[in-house]
Amino acid sequence: MSELLKGVRVVEFAGQGPAPFCAMMLADHGAQIIRIERAQGIATLNIGNDPMRRKRHTLTLNLKDARAQAVALDIIAESHVLIEGHRPGVMERLGLGPDVCLTRQPALIYGRVTGWGQTGPLSHTPGRDINYIGLSGALAAIGSERPTPPLNLVGDFGGGGMLLAFGILAALWQAEQTGTGSIIDAAMIDGAAIQMTSVMGLFANHQWRNQRSSNLLDGGAPFYRTYKCLDHRWIAVGALDRRSITALLKMTELADEFNSVIEDQAQWKALEDRLEALFKTRHRDDWALHPEASTACVTPVLTIDEAPQHPHNRVRNVFTRQGNGQIPSAAPRVSGIQKNARSDEMEYVQDSNILLKLLNWPEERIQTLKAAGICL
C-alpha cells in the first residue's frame, strides 16, 4: 500500500457509492479511515464482504443520541478530513454540519458528495446515478437504440467519488499552507458534466452530432467499436489514426476495397457491414493474436472473470485476490512505492475498543460509552 497520506485521519460517515469509494482511495494511499456507522445500518448493494470498505476502523453510533453526536464531534476535532454522502441538511440535523465541525477543527476539510449538489432546485430531491448523468448530457450520448447506463461509473465513482477525492487533496494542500479548512460540494451532476468537456467541445465546433452511434467515439465509426466473433465473444477495435486504421484494413484484407475510408465517411456503413461479417468468421482470441492486432488496436473484450487472468493484468497485478474472487488493486502507482493490497489489509475492523484506543482516549471513557450503549 502507498503511504503518501500517512498521518491523515479521515472520518467517513457510512453511506453508499461515491463516499465509501472516495474513502477507499484515500485509505489505499495510507490515510487512516474512521468509519462511523449508524446503529440501524444502511442499505447496500453488496451484502457480502464489500471491498470498498477495506482498510477501515468502524465505530457504530446512535447518532440520534446527543451523547453519540458529541463522541463523533470529538473524533472529528482530532481529524483532518470528513466525508459524508447524505442529502443536504441531514448532517446539520444531527448537529454535525460544517459550521459546527469547523468551529471545533478550523483546518478541517469537510467533504460532501451528493447527486444534485448542495444548492439548486433539485438539491433536496432523490435520484440515482442514471438521473444525474441523464441531466448532465452524458447519458444521451451513450448507447445505440436507447441511452444505455454505463454501469454507475460516470456518476457515482468517476463523477462523485474521484471528484471528491481530488477536491479533498487540493483542499488539504490549501490547509497545509494556510491552516484554513474548506467545505467541498462534490455533485455527481457536476462530475458527470466535467467528464463531457471534450465531447461538448467537439459539439460546439460542429464535430459531434446529437445522434447516438453516429460519431467517432460512440460506436458510429467502424474502426472504433466492438464486433461479435465466431464464438459469440466480442472484440474491441480502437483504430483512430492512419497507422492503426491501415493495420486494421490489412488484418481484415480490406485495404484495396476501402483505401480512402479515412477521408470518406460515406464508406463507414459499408466498412462496418464487411467487418461485422469478417469478425464472425474467427474466434475472438484468434483475432486478438493476429500479427497486426496490436498495431490496429484490436483487443478482446474480457468478461469480469476473464480480466484478472489476462497476461498483462497478471504481470502488473491489476487485480488482487480476495476471498473467492478478484478485486482491482489500489491505484494509481506512485514512483514504485505502492504495493498490492494483501488480503488481510482488505478487511475492516469493527471492534470499538481498538478504534477508541487508537484515539488515545482514557479506558474509563471507553467503558462508560460502551456501558451506556452509545458506542456499539
Side-chain angles (χ1 to χ4, degrees):
M1 291 290 207
S2 163
E3 294 190 347
L4 291 174
L5 296 176
K6 184 177 181 179
V8 174
R9 176 177 289 166
V10 179
V11 179
E12 172 203 1
F13 283 84
Q16 296 179 337
F21 182 75
C22 174
M24 179 199 79
M25 293 192 68
L26 299 179
D28 283 345
H29 290 282
Q32 181 189 75
I33 310 295
I34 298 175
R35 178 181 170 95
I36 295 180
E37 297 262 13
R38 292 195 184 194
Q40 64 270 31
I42 61 167
T44 178
L45 291 176
N46 192 331
I47 61 174
N49 186 10
D50 187 350
M52 286 205 303
R53 296 188 190 180
R54 63 180 179 249
K55 296 287 286 182
R56 304 288 210 285
H57 294 285
T58 302
L59 179 66
T60 300
L61 294 174
N62 178 13
L63 290 175
K64 294 182 179 180
D65 187 318
R67 296 171 298 174
Q69 294 168 12
V71 170
L73 193 56
D74 285 346
I75 297 174
I76 293 166
E78 299 178 27
S79 302
H80 303 91
V81 178
L82 181 152
I83 294 174
E84 65 97 358
H86 302 306
R87 289 190 201 174
V90 171
M91 293 294 285
E92 284 82 354
R93 289 195 295 273
L94 292 172
L96 298 170
D99 291 346
V100 174
C101 293
L102 283 162
T103 298
R104 288 289 302 274
Q105 167 54 292
L108 181 71
I109 310 305
Y110 197 107
R112 321 190 81 168
V113 58
T114 58
W116 303 118
Q118 299 295 316
T119 59
L122 294 177
S123 61
H124 287 80
T125 62
R128 293 290 184 268
D129 182 292
I130 193 171
N131 308 119
Y132 314 136
I133 69 173
L135 249 63
S136 74
L139 182 58
I142 301 171
S144 52
E145 180 181 350
R146 68 175 68 189
T148 303
L151 305 182
N152 59 337
L153 304 179
V154 176
D156 277 353
F157 300 130
M162 285 192 181
L163 186 71
L164 180 59
F166 172 79
I168 286 170
L169 296 180
L172 276 172
W173 173 250
Q174 176 182 264
E176 178 71 19
Q177 306 304 306
T178 66
T180 302
S182 303
I183 304 169
I184 301 171
D185 177 6
M188 285 176 259
I189 189 170
D190 297 347
I194 200 170
Q195 291 177 81
M196 288 290 288
T197 300
S198 175
V199 170
M200 295 187 85
L202 291 170
F203 182 79
N205 291 326
H206 307 289
Q207 296 174 264
W208 191 274
R209 299 172 61 194
N210 248 342
Q211 181 180 343
R212 285 182 297 282
S213 299
S214 63
N215 299 284
L216 192 63
L217 301 175
D218 64 358
F223 35 79
Y224 196 87
R225 54 161 294 176
T226 58
Y227 291 94
K228 184 182 287 189
C229 301
L230 178 62
D231 52 4
H232 298 285
R233 295 191 287 182
W234 295 81
I235 203 80
V237 177
L240 280 180
D241 56 32
R242 185 175 296 275
R243 182 167 179 260
S244 56
I245 292 174
T246 299
L248 173 65
L249 296 175
K250 182 177 179 181
M251 73 180 286
T252 54
E253 300 180 355
L254 294 175
D256 293 337
E257 189 175 345
F258 294 96
N259 52 32
S260 60
V261 69
I262 299 174
E263 296 82 10
D264 186 6
Q265 189 170 341
Q267 296 188 55
W268 280 14
K269 183 61 172 69
L271 176 57
E272 177 186 320
D273 292 342
R274 296 284 281 122
L275 290 175
E276 286 272 16
L278 281 168
F279 278 115
K280 288 180 180 178
T281 63
R282 299 173 64 176
H283 291 156
R284 181 196 67 182
D285 293 344
D286 289 340
W287 284 115
L289 294 173
H290 190 284
E292 295 290 339
S294 60
T295 305
C297 298
V298 171
T299 56
V301 176
L302 302 178
T303 58
I304 292 173
D305 57 320
E306 288 179 314
Q309 309 309 320
H310 190 276
H312 180 82
N313 293 337
R314 294 181 68 175
V315 169
R316 280 186 61 83
N317 295 316
V318 175
F319 298 90
T320 298
R321 176 163 291 282
Q322 182 189 37
N324 296 324
Q326 299 267 7
I327 63 170
S329 301
R333 306 166 194 224
V334 182
S335 300
I337 63 173
Q338 182 163 306
K339 301 177 182 178
N340 283 339
R342 301 190 310 271
S343 60
D344 61 331
E345 291 179 315
M346 293 298 190
E347 306 304 325
Y348 58 98
V349 180
Q350 291 184 288
D351 188 333
S352 56
N353 283 324
I354 295 176
L355 175 58
L356 296 174
K357 286 177 181 177
L358 283 175
L359 297 170
N360 295 316
W361 288 356
E363 180 69 23
E364 181 181 353
R365 183 182 186 189
I366 296 172
Q367 295 306 321
T368 299
L369 293 171
K370 290 180 68 69
I374 297 170
C375 297
L376 305 177

